[in-house]
Amino acid sequence: MAELPHYDLVIIGGGCAGFSLASKLSEYGEKAPKVLILEQRKNYTNDRTWCFWDIDHPAYQSLASHAWSTFEVANRERVHHFDCNQHPYLMLESQHFYEAAIKQISNHPKIQLMLGQEVLSAPINTDQGWHISTAHTVFTARQVIDTRPPKKINPQDSVLWQCFVGYEIQTQSDCFSPEKMVLMDFDHTFEHGLAFIYILPTSEKKALIEYTVFSENIIPKQQLITRLKKSITQKIDRQPYELLRVEHGTLPMGYTLTQQYKASTYLYAGLFAGAARPSSGYAFQRIQSWANKCAQSIVSEQKLYASPKEQWVQSSMDGLFLNVIKNNPTRAASLFEDLFNRCELNTVVKFMSDQATLGDYFRIIKSLPPGPFIKALPGFVIQKIFHRLGWAK
């Protein structure tokens, strides 16, 4: 019997988390382990967009295709304009990230990417290491990092879900201001959560427009598309447009179901394993931070590194904020409006970028009305106790 192909590390999933880790490992040169990335896609497309604030030299900022120094938040007839020139809002298209990652890892002799490789069943732990089976072959590895989302997602597994669909469109006449993006334009006609329009214009005639919902339930894609099309028609005054590409996603906001494997040589990573910020869904820079620390741990100690647990203050604030949105969806738009209006923008940016200090947390709390949070506090505390004890929600 032929010897099975063996690797020090198999990464299941060549998406953001998988590529980020492999890229970091490649920087260690000869010290890097022998790595195999298994990706079920046969090719990569420009299928998503990651955005983040330009604060403290974020990873991949040089690949950003556009930056905005002003943005607006709109709630009914009230439109608020903000100057974020100190920390511009950056957009990274996935095609640029994929191309950079593939180029970097392809130049490393010990790191290999295999496309069209779907892992058919749960890897098996044996005396010879992990056995990972695809339709084409079986691989063995000393360590495995699994970045795939759960096969089955239940709405009750997360406090809220961020569901979105986006159209990148090209109009015939000028409709957009490429120097200003729309962070949140709330839609009060949606009755099953907090809904808003998100507009990232890259020229006078081109923009990515997303319809986003924070909801207890997972909103079907077609329902989001119907809302998005209506919003686009209103935004561009019924002008015809060309659809260039589509984005769609469902992100966890407060997902706590993923439990790490008992074996220290198998690790879950990615969106459903602590990468997504509970209160916003932002994940890209958090993944970069994890990838850097995980690569360092693998090379120096041969140990896998899980996404760290949230700091108690940040975790508590995010959890309480999500519960307030969940229990007060009609009031949630005003809470975001208060947050941006009553708090210094630099503080909000640091909070959203995981760089807030205790003073920043205090200023965030001070900017929001206490009533909804006091009302939600008892239920939130009970929920935390139940989770700590491992009981059902």
Side-chain angles (χ1 to χ4, degrees):
M1 181 177 178
E3 185 176 351
L4 299 176
H6 183 76
Y7 295 82
D8 297 317
L9 171 67
V10 166
I11 300 174
I12 305 177
C16 183
F19 268 171
S20 297
L21 176 59
S23 296
K24 284 297 180 182
L25 287 170
S26 72
E27 296 176 3
Y28 285 88
E30 294 181 356
K31 294 182 179 181
K34 185 179 179 182
V35 180
L36 173 65
I37 309 164
L38 296 174
E39 171 55 45
Q40 65 178 4
R41 282 176 284 192
K42 295 182 179 180
N43 55 71
Y44 286 91
T45 61
N46 193 23
D47 59 350
R48 64 197 64 209
T49 301
W50 295 293
C51 290
F52 43 88
W53 304 94
D54 186 356
I55 180 172
D56 197 24
H57 308 292
Y60 291 98
Q61 69 177 123
S62 62
L63 295 182
S65 57
H66 203 89
W68 293 271
S69 57
T70 59
F71 70 93
E72 66 180 47
V73 173
N75 186 16
R76 300 190 189 277
E77 71 282 356
R78 299 184 298 276
V79 181
H80 310 280
H81 304 274
F82 301 93
D83 181 347
C84 58
N85 188 58
Q86 185 178 356
H87 300 297
Y89 195 69
L90 307 182
M91 179 177 78
L92 172 61
E93 296 178 75
S94 61
Q95 65 177 357
H96 298 145
F97 170 77
Y98 295 147
E99 289 167 359
I102 291 172
K103 181 179 179 180
Q104 184 166 345
I105 63 179
S106 64
N107 290 329
H108 198 291
K110 296 170 71 176
I111 302 179
Q112 181 182 3
L113 168 66
M114 295 186 67
L115 299 177
Q117 298 285 333
E118 181 180 2
V119 176
L120 302 176
S121 57
I124 301 173
N125 196 6
T126 71
D127 293 338
Q128 291 77 39
W130 291 94
H131 283 213
I132 305 102
S133 300
T134 71
H136 306 284
T137 188
V138 177
F139 304 94
T140 65
R142 184 170 58 85
Q143 297 176 320
V144 176
I145 292 183
D146 192 341
T147 68
R148 298 171 297 175
K151 288 186 176 181
K152 184 178 181 181
I153 299 175
N154 297 312
Q156 64 269 25
D157 293 342
S158 185
V159 179
L160 291 175
W161 296 93
Q162 181 180 152
C163 309
F164 68 89
V165 66
Y167 279 9
E168 185 176 36
I169 65 171
Q170 181 95 32
T171 58
Q172 295 179 359
S173 59
D174 293 354
C175 293
F176 309 107
S177 299
E179 64 281 349
K180 177 184 289 187
M181 63 98 173
V182 178
L183 188 64
M184 303 176 106
D185 184 353
F186 297 102
D187 178 12
H188 290 274
T189 67
F190 189 82
E191 299 177 347
H192 305 291
L194 174 69
F196 58 90
I197 312 300
Y198 177 53
I199 305 177
L200 301 176
T202 53
S203 75
E204 287 81 2
K205 296 182 176 68
K206 187 177 178 182
L208 173 63
I209 304 179
E210 292 185 355
Y211 191 89
T212 302
V213 174
F214 295 172
S215 175
E216 288 185 71
N217 301 306
I218 297 175
I219 309 300
K221 180 180 179 180
Q222 190 54 52
Q223 184 177 345
L224 294 170
I225 288 176
T226 300
R227 291 271 178 171
L228 175 63
K229 286 182 175 180
K230 182 179 179 181
S231 299
I232 291 176
T233 299
Q234 294 172 346
K235 293 297 180 183
I236 65 174
D237 197 23
R238 301 184 179 278
Q239 292 190 37
Y241 63 87
E242 177 187 359
L243 177 59
L244 303 178
R245 64 184 183 90
V246 180
E247 293 188 11
H248 172 252
T250 301
L251 308 178
M253 302 180 74
Y255 189 85
T256 57
L257 194 63
T258 297
Q259 299 293 327
Q260 291 295 348
Y261 224 97
K262 291 183 179 179
S264 61
T265 52
Y266 196 107
L267 179 75
Y268 291 108
L271 281 179
F272 287 81
R277 174 73 183 270
S279 61
S280 67
Y282 284 125
F284 186 81
Q285 291 300 331
R286 290 164 64 97
I287 287 175
Q288 303 316 308
S289 177
W290 162 79
N292 187 40
K293 294 174 182 177
C294 189
Q296 183 179 11
S297 179
I298 289 172
V299 173
S300 62
E301 304 178 45
Q302 289 77 52
K303 293 181 180 180
L304 303 180
Y305 176 86
S307 292
K309 292 184 178 181
E310 306 283 346
Q311 294 182 355
W312 181 86
V313 176
Q314 180 171 295
S315 173
S316 298
M317 287 190 65
D318 280 6
L320 185 56
F321 191 66
L322 289 177
N323 275 271
V324 169
I325 295 175
K326 177 179 178 180
N327 297 327
N328 304 270
T330 58
R331 194 171 178 180
S334 296
L335 293 177
F336 278 101
E337 185 181 17
D338 288 341
L339 177 64
F340 282 99
N341 266 338
R342 299 180 180 178
C343 199
E344 184 184 30
L345 182 58
N346 186 51
T347 297
V348 179
V349 169
K350 288 198 293 181
F351 176 70
M352 297 177 74
S353 304
D354 290 350
Q355 297 193 28
T357 64
L358 283 175
D360 293 322
Y361 289 129
F362 174 77
R363 286 184 281 273
I364 292 287
I365 293 171
K366 189 178 178 181
S367 71
L368 298 170
F373 293 88
I374 293 173
K375 186 176 180 180
L377 188 58
F380 170 69
V381 172
I382 292 173
Q383 183 186 64
K384 293 281 283 187
I385 293 173
F386 275 35
H387 176 66
R388 180 68 61 88
L389 295 175
W391 297 352
K393 292 181 181 179

